Amino acid sequence: MPPAIQVTGLAKSYFRDGHEIPVLHNINLNVQQGDFLALMGPSGSGKSTLLNLIAGIDRPTRGEIVVEGAEIGRMSESQLARWRADNVGFIFQFYNLIPVLTAFDNVALPLLLTKLNKAERRKHVETALGIVGLADRMKHYPKQLSGGQEQRVAIARAIVSDPKILVADEPTGDLDRNSAAEILTIIKRLNSEFGKTVIMVTHDPHAAEAAQSVMHLDKGDLIGAAA
Amino acid sequence: MRLFRLAFKNAFRHRFRALLTILAMAVALMAFGVLRTVVTAWNVGIDAAQADRLVTRQAVSFIFPLPLAYFDKVREIEGIESVTHSSWFGGIYIDRQNFFARFAIDAETFFEVYPEYMLTPEETENFKKQRNACVVGADIAKQYGFKIGDKITLEGDIYPGTWDFIVAGIYQPKFKSTDATAMVFHWHYLNERVAEDWPTRANLTGWLTAKIADGNRAAEISAQIDDLFRNSAAETKTETENEFARGFIASFGAIFGAMNFVSFTIVAIILLVVANTMLMAARERTREYAVLKTLGFSVGQISALILMESTILSIVGGTLGLGLIAPLIAGLAEAVPKAWFPIFQLEPITVFLLALAVVFIALAAAIFPIRRVARATIVEGIRFAG
């Protein structure tokens, strides 16, 4: 079975005032279907950049990223947008919910890009919110929810269109210990029960323990893997 | 939930800011509407002017009179159906503030040439047979309470002295654009006294108005009239009533040019207000737009969201402004003396320009936020700290 994510010779540089700032150098990485990978490393090591590249929200300078058989580096902006909508669920550190929308409407946002009718969309949203244990908070606005609950809504939004890959950037970084544990439990469940391939960036070794495998990045290099 | 609902919620996310933007837009559109109404009201004379009427005046200036003898000579020109003559009288009715146009006219021909000033046959008869009779427009009759048989006393300025008139008729305007604020009286009544008190000013009239059978011959007949008096002491300039009205209005061109400029400057100011609101909103939502892009929304879809928000604000502000402008103009029409602007009303062209301004503002105000969203990468947006 081919890997879900295949990264070959990947490099990424940013350009500031005419100067090249290399962030990632010659990254080679395979992530199998149904894996749960934690990416660890100090600030500035390039772990979020790698995650963004795999999720198709940033462009590589060199190298190739093949996700579910698609070479995403060669896609146009609109193709990439469509691909993200179909294949990737993104969980942010700061939840990034739309404050004027209820939990239900926030979760329903990705479904506006699908051909589902209103009843089908409702069913999907209720299922997603049910999975994260917030079926009773559908009409609540983000400001009426705790940080942990907001992150659970964000997870529901990430899974509502049933993507194969979930990427999470410090999903517990803004949460207390108990809420963080709840979030990790949900992510583990999405991986083990629903077969999602998960890549999670974290600083926290405790959070990384939830993953099946851990990889470290330092100064843009993938320096080793630990199971 | 549809994208429109999100746009609507976004538009009113900061309620006070949205309210201020909407009010600013409504007030500015009202100001725009009033200025445009003044400009169109001023131009109403041009609309009322007829292409088949020629006005003959002294070539040097409108303020110099013509010998009355010209009246008979012009009548003889082939192609002219009828001719009348009129003189500006001026004068003061009780107070200088009570302004309305007063003309000394030829009673026998005036209503033939100006059929849009409608009198009953009885009123026409009464006017013609009474030397000091006058006819007043329906609007000033209403404004000053003039009734048939009333005495109107004017204090002369161009023709000094006290002048008494008896109201013999109240004319009704035939068209919406017809001025119903004028007072006309017998030129002979004026001339008799002028002949006694200022003999050198006797037997003169202000201008001639000729009704021609064929409007297409206006240029030819105008040239004929002017040729008739070429090299005389009072050379003439003849033009269609329309051209004459345009020339008269052009003498106030600077004022109305300034009003036009101000009215369009107001649109530019509203645009800046709404654009500023939209830019602030887009800046605040930089991260949200990046999240939408991450979820798979295209730049086009996010642009549509911004455009919808801008349109919602513009339409609400525009509707409020349009809703208030009609009663405002109606109120002003009551307050402003009729003689200043005989026709002061919200014209369809003004409503059209207002609607056009709303559409323009909605589109233009969204341009910079859309440009910002299109240029920002997702990563920059997600990292945006606000």
Side-chain angles (χ1 to χ4, degrees):
Chain A
M1 195 183 215
I5 299 161
Q6 197 172 4
V7 177
T8 313
L10 182 70
K12 174 71 184 177
S13 297
Y14 290 109
F15 292 87
R16 294 272 186 278
D17 304 322
H19 298 288
E20 184 177 0
I21 304 163
V23 181
L24 293 173
H25 321 107
N26 195 32
I27 302 287
N28 294 290
L29 169 72
N30 283 343
V31 181
Q32 299 302 324
Q33 306 265 3
D35 264 6
F36 184 171
L37 170 69
L39 285 172
M40 295 192 73
S43 293
S45 60
K47 54 190 188 302
S48 290
T49 302
L50 178 58
L51 192 76
N52 291 340
L53 289 166
I54 291 170
I57 62 173
D58 204 354
R59 298 278 192 176
T61 308
R62 280 183 301 279
E64 197 174 65
I65 307 166
V66 179
V67 184
E68 296 291 343
E71 215 285 72
I72 61 172
R74 288 186 188 164
M75 290 181 182
S76 67
E77 281 303 322
S78 56
Q79 284 174 324
L80 204 52
R82 188 71 251 167
W83 177 84
R84 281 194 303 270
D86 293 338
N87 294 283
V88 184
F90 209 106
I91 304 164
F92 303 93
Q93 179 179 358
F94 298 109
Y95 335 128
N96 288 331
L97 300 177
I98 309 289
V100 289
L101 300 180
T102 61
F104 182 95
D105 287 338
N106 264 290
V107 175
L109 269 176
L111 300 181
L112 295 179
L113 303 169
T114 66
K115 288 177 180 168
L116 297 176
N117 63 33
K118 196 176 173 184
E120 288 167 332
R121 290 203 303 267
R122 168 164 283 278
K123 198 176 163 194
H124 276 68
V125 173
E126 285 171 353
T127 304
L129 281 168
I131 289 170
V132 299
L134 283 179
D136 57 339
R137 294 281 192 278
M138 283 189 214
K139 290 182 180 170
H140 286 60
Y141 286 91
K143 66 182 177 190
Q144 297 169 319
L145 300 170
S146 68
Q149 288 172 327
E150 280 193 74
Q151 191 62 298
R152 280 150 68 186
V153 173
I155 293 172
R157 182 178 65 187
I159 62 170
V160 73
S161 52
D162 197 23
K164 290 180 182 160
I165 296 163
L166 280 182
V167 294
D169 192 356
E170 303 276 10
T172 58
D174 199 42
L175 298 174
D176 61 60
R177 186 183 290 265
N178 289 339
S179 300
E182 282 173 14
I183 294 302
L184 289 169
T185 304
I186 292 169
I187 294 174
K188 274 175 78 174
R189 191 175 158 223
L190 291 170
N191 171 246
S192 59
E193 215 173 292
F194 295 92
K196 306 291 178 198
T197 304
V198 180
I199 304 178
M200 177 176 73
V201 161
T202 183
H203 270 109
D204 180 5
H206 181 69
E209 283 173 15
Q212 292 163 357
S213 55
V214 180
M215 286 189 171
H216 290 268
L217 273 154
D218 189 32
K219 294 178 184 165
D221 293 310
L222 204 54
I223 56 170
Chain B
M1 191 200 58
R2 288 277 165 219
L3 220 49
F4 177 77
R5 206 168 127 213
L6 178 56
F8 190 83
K9 289 194 169 205
N10 276 341
F12 296 98
R13 188 181 289 202
H14 295 281
R15 283 180 194 161
F16 191 59
R17 188 166 75 194
L19 181 72
L20 289 179
T21 305
I22 286 165
L23 285 179
M25 184 152 175
V27 169
L29 283 177
M30 278 157 53
F32 175 80
V34 169
L35 283 175
R36 296 301 315 165
T37 300
V38 169
V39 172
T40 48
W42 186 253
N43 282 311
V44 97
I46 295 175
D47 300 335
Q50 305 287 313
D52 62 353
R53 278 199 300 237
L54 303 178
V55 177
T56 301
R57 60 167 172 96
Q58 251 222 46
V60 177
S61 168
F62 174 71
I63 60 168
F64 296 114
L66 296 171
L68 185 68
Y70 285 18
F71 174 58
D72 287 325
K73 288 183 179 173
V74 168
R75 294 170 97 154
E76 301 304 318
I77 292 174
E78 186 269 323
I80 289 180
E81 281 186 344
S82 51
V83 184
T84 190
H85 65 89
S86 318
S87 301
W88 177 258
F89 178 77
I92 300 158
Y93 175 63
I94 305 172
D95 188 278
R96 274 198 185 277
Q97 299 226 327
N98 299 331
F99 175 79
F100 50 89
R102 296 146 199 146
F103 302 106
I105 52 116
D106 178 47
E108 292 302 321
T109 54
F110 184 82
F111 293 100
E112 249 176 70
V113 177
Y114 291 100
E116 66 265 38
Y117 289 34
M118 296 192 302
L119 283 178
T120 63
E122 194 185 356
E123 285 173 322
T124 309
E125 189 61 27
N126 283 341
F127 177 55
K128 282 182 179 174
K129 72 183 182 197
Q130 224 175 324
R131 204 83 171 147
N132 65 341
C134 72
V135 168
V136 293
D139 284 353
I140 53 165
K142 189 180 166 195
Q143 187 178 349
Y144 297 106
F146 297 144
K147 294 184 296 296
I148 289 172
D150 280 0
K151 188 170 99 174
I152 296 177
T153 301
L154 298 180
E155 196 58 44
D157 41 20
I158 301 170
Y159 303 96
T162 301
W163 300 76
D164 292 325
F165 304 93
I166 301 296
V167 178
I170 295 170
Y171 74 83
Q172 301 297 326
K174 187 172 181 181
F175 307 111
K176 222 163 111 178
S177 56
T178 304
D179 177 12
T181 66
M183 170 189 170
V184 296
F185 61 89
H186 292 270
W187 175 85
H188 287 291
Y189 179 55
L190 171 71
N191 195 51
E192 277 169 12
R193 198 153 143 194
V194 167
E196 275 179 26
D197 297 348
W198 311 282
T200 54
R201 296 173 68 187
N203 297 320
L204 297 173
T205 188
W207 64 90
L208 310 177
T209 310
K211 190 170 188 321
I212 55 176
D214 180 2
N216 294 324
R217 291 184 62 202
E220 175 204 333
I221 296 173
S222 296
Q224 262 185 280
I225 295 171
D226 292 341
D227 285 346
L228 204 59
F229 306 113
R230 200 167 302 284
N231 299 321
S232 70
E235 290 196 344
T236 59
K237 181 177 179 185
T238 304
E239 55 201 340
T240 62
E241 196 174 56
N242 199 285
E243 287 165 345
F244 177 76
R246 273 181 207 284
F248 184 68
I249 284 165
S251 59
F252 297 88
I255 297 170
F256 289 93
M259 284 182 122
N260 257 331
F261 176 75
V262 171
S263 66
F264 287 103
T265 303
I266 286 170
V267 173
I269 292 169
I270 322 167
L271 172 62
L272 292 178
V273 169
V274 180
N276 184 47
T277 302
M278 290 306 300
L279 260 177
M280 278 198 284
R283 191 173 187 281
E284 287 163 3
R285 289 179 212 141
T286 301
R287 189 186 284 199
E288 287 176 28
Y289 293 141
V291 170
L292 290 176
K293 282 185 187 174
T294 306
L295 296 179
F297 284 81
S298 65
V299 170
Q301 285 164 319
I302 298 170
S303 300
L305 187 69
I306 294 170
L307 191 59
M308 274 189 243
E309 184 177 341
S310 168
T311 306
I312 288 165
L313 283 176
S314 299
I315 285 179
V316 174
T319 307
L320 184 65
L322 278 169
L324 292 175
I325 190 128
L328 177 71
I329 297 283
L332 283 173
E334 288 297 315
V336 173
K338 278 277 179 194
W340 291 9
F341 296 109
I343 312 290
F344 194 82
Q345 61 189 21
L346 191 60
E347 297 290 339
I349 181 69
T350 305
V351 177
F352 174 73
L353 283 174
L354 283 167
L356 201 64
V358 169
V359 173
F360 172 69
I361 289 162
L363 294 176
I367 288 173
F368 288 106
I370 286 173
R371 200 162 152 248
R372 186 186 160 87
V373 165
R375 284 184 170 186
T377 66
I378 297 178
V379 174
E380 285 167 350
I382 297 287
R383 287 182 184 153
F384 184 75

